[in-house]
Amino acid sequence: MKTASLGVSALVLLAAVLAVMSLPAPHGVGASVIQEAEAFPHDRHEGLFPLCTGCHQGVETGEAADVLPDPASCSGCHDGAELDAVEWVPPSPGGASLLRYDHPAHARSVAEAGQVAECGTCHGGDPGRRMDVAPLEAGRCLECHEAPAGSEPHFGGPACGTCHVTAAASGLPGVALAALPVPAGHERAGFVAVGHGADAGGGLETCATCHVQQRCTSCHVTGAGDAIARMPEAPAGVRLPVMAAHYPVPASHAGGAFAEEHGRGLASSEAVRTCGTCHTQDDCASCHVDPGVAALLPARAETEAPGAALVRRLPPTHRSPFFMAGHATLASADAGSCATCHTEASCVACHDAPGPAAFHPQNFASRHSSASFGATAECSNCHDAAVFCRACHVEAGLTATGRLGSGYHDAEPVWLLRHGQAARQELESCASCHRQKECLQCHSQTGAFRVSPHRPGFDARRAWESNPVVCTACHLRSPFGEGG
């Protein structure tokens, strides 16, 4: 059976109407019967109704109320005396339908084309029997509205909108929409991954014949331009079938280096438009510590489509059996790449734990000061001195407490008088615990001692002309009396 025969439509209505009439009762005069729609014997009433429009004049005029005869007209013969009385309830015209059909308009177009089409042309069975009414199928339509030679039958004919309304406007329940036949073109390789988007771009009205907007949004997260927005949406209350999302892997994703290179040079708008077709923000967060551009994508909880639901997996560089032994080289060369997926806690879990996996030997913390002195740059590969070191030193009380309480430097006699040399050699080390305001307590115009931090032979004029902002950290005004 063809597509058109799946819905109750104006095109098939007349066949059903002509069949819904009464039969003489087979069990004696006076019986009252209700006949089934397909039981009406048109051929036995042939002598009574020379013209179809005698009962169905509304077919020609377009008046829906006159498409079916008044049930009271049957009582002229079926009076309960000569013939059994019948009780006939006509079906309601119209209803859910995928077809776009109007009898008067069709008759006019046939006449304008110089052709002749009578009721029996579409609704007749045996051509030799005038009142032999047969159920109407879509194949009858295609006898005139034939598809071009070599094309797929039915689906290769005129534009779908010629005969069909959109699925959203049809009123068909979801189960009927799910049962519509699938064109052979939808089964071709690559149709879901690439083909259906190109087809929709070239004729969205064709897609809308069988699909509603919810069918698109069940897979597409975002990024399809305005095409989906232009798809008609199923009315509220229509119970749609379950639409399982399917995400085929595009050919561009199949390369061995795709995982490492997929985000390089990708503009924000392109990421939302392209990646957002299949991916939610959650997909990116499965690997990326900082989602970056992915933050522009909706979260899975904010969209109807589930997205591809990615699960973190090792990149090719990590799959070597010797990766753990040699990963330090990769981390040193491109720490930023590691930071895409890993936080400092990922490193600390091994490198700061006891046992053979630890980067430092056991009890290293108790004697790390000598190893770290002069090697701040090496330590900072793993540790943030301003946070990691300070957290421990403050807890242990090994931190500066002002000019008189030297804290960490208590073991160094008269450290306060000798700290200048150490500061000049390793200022970064000092900055792990100290802030500039502590230095300014002594080394500034407003400090208690106004001790100059400058080395012998310091060219103050040159420094001022180079960057006076640095000078004003200690000097409230120009040390040369310029500019107030």
Side-chain angles (χ1 to χ4, degrees):
M1 185 172 288
K2 304 295 184 180
T3 304
S5 63
L6 293 176
V8 180
S9 64
L11 183 61
V12 299
L13 179 62
L14 184 55
V17 165
L18 296 179
V20 183
M21 300 250 339
S22 306
L23 274 174
H27 302 299
V29 176
S32 180
V33 296
I34 300 177
Q35 299 297 337
E36 296 292 333
E38 63 273 18
F40 181 75
H42 284 82
D43 54 345
R44 291 175 58 182
H45 289 72
E46 182 176 0
L48 297 175
F49 307 116
L51 297 175
C52 298
T53 52
C55 290
H56 308 292
Q57 58 183 344
V59 170
E60 286 190 328
T61 62
E63 296 292 334
D66 296 331
V67 170
L68 300 174
D70 187 346
S73 63
C74 301
S75 62
C77 295
H78 297 277
D79 56 2
E82 296 296 329
L83 294 174
D84 290 331
V86 296
E87 181 181 344
W88 177 57
V89 179
S92 299
S97 173
L98 193 61
L99 287 181
R100 182 195 308 277
Y101 188 83
D102 179 82
H103 274 91
H106 185 262
R108 287 194 298 271
S109 63
V110 170
E112 291 170 358
Q115 299 177 357
V116 177
E118 299 180 349
C119 298
T121 303
C122 298
H123 301 287
D126 185 351
R129 300 172 58 190
R130 184 179 63 82
M131 289 286 283
D132 184 32
V133 177
L136 181 63
E137 295 185 358
R140 281 283 181 90
C141 305
L142 297 179
E143 290 176 2
C144 295
H145 301 282
E146 60 183 352
S151 64
E152 185 180 354
H154 190 107
F155 298 107
C160 299
T162 304
C163 303
H164 297 286
V165 298
T166 64
S170 68
L172 292 173
V175 65
L177 295 178
L180 292 174
V182 179
H186 287 33
E187 304 292 345
R188 70 181 186 269
F191 175 74
V192 175
V194 180
H196 82 282
D199 289 355
L204 195 63
E205 295 76 11
T206 298
C207 304
T209 301
C210 300
H211 299 292
V212 294
Q213 186 181 121
Q214 288 88 335
R215 184 68 185 91
C216 306
T217 55
S218 67
C219 282
H220 287 266
V221 176
T222 182
D226 64 346
I228 290 179
R230 290 188 288 110
M231 276 288 288
E233 187 175 0
V238 175
R239 189 172 181 178
L240 297 171
V242 176
M243 301 171 184
H246 178 56
Y247 297 100
V249 179
S252 60
H253 292 35
F258 176 76
E260 287 74 20
E261 299 177 356
H262 68 280
R264 294 180 182 174
L266 194 63
S268 300
S269 58
E270 185 180 2
V272 174
R273 179 181 59 83
T274 305
C275 305
T277 300
C278 303
H279 297 291
T280 63
Q281 188 180 129
D282 303 67
D283 289 338
C284 305
S286 65
C287 289
H288 292 272
V289 175
D290 179 5
V293 174
L296 300 175
L297 298 176
R300 188 170 299 154
E302 300 172 349
T303 180
E304 296 179 28
L310 297 183
V311 178
R312 180 182 297 190
R313 66 178 187 271
L314 292 175
T317 55
H318 290 40
R319 296 172 191 168
S320 166
F322 308 106
F323 173 74
M324 291 302 295
H327 75 282
T329 304
L330 291 175
S332 300
D334 191 6
S337 178
C338 302
T340 301
C341 302
H342 300 288
T343 62
E344 183 178 337
S346 305
C347 307
V348 170
C350 287
H351 291 293
D352 211 31
F359 182 81
H360 299 298
Q362 291 186 357
N363 302 318
F364 176 75
S366 63
R367 50 190 173 83
H368 73 284
S369 56
S370 59
S372 62
F373 187 80
T376 306
E378 181 180 348
C379 298
S380 63
N381 285 335
C382 298
H383 305 292
D384 182 348
V387 177
F388 184 83
C389 303
R390 178 182 290 271
C392 187
H393 285 205
V394 170
E395 184 177 349
L398 302 176
T399 184
T401 57
R403 294 194 301 272
L404 301 179
S406 53
Y408 178 74
H409 306 291
D410 286 346
E412 300 288 337
V414 293
W415 168 256
L416 192 62
L417 299 178
R418 300 190 297 107
H419 76 282
Q421 180 180 356
R424 285 190 291 271
Q425 292 175 339
E426 193 71 26
L427 188 60
E428 292 83 359
S429 178
C430 303
S432 64
C433 293
H434 298 286
R435 296 294 180 266
Q436 188 181 60
K437 65 180 182 179
E438 297 174 13
C439 304
L440 296 180
Q441 292 179 20
C442 294
H443 299 285
S444 74
Q445 284 186 333
T446 60
F449 301 106
R450 297 192 178 185
V451 177
S452 173
H454 303 304
R455 67 185 183 276
F458 176 73
D459 189 344
R461 171 64 70 177
R462 181 178 180 183
W464 174 262
E465 293 175 351
S466 175
N467 190 355
V469 175
V470 175
C471 302
T472 56
C474 297
H475 300 276
L476 300 181
R477 58 184 62 86
S478 170
F480 307 105
E482 300 171 358

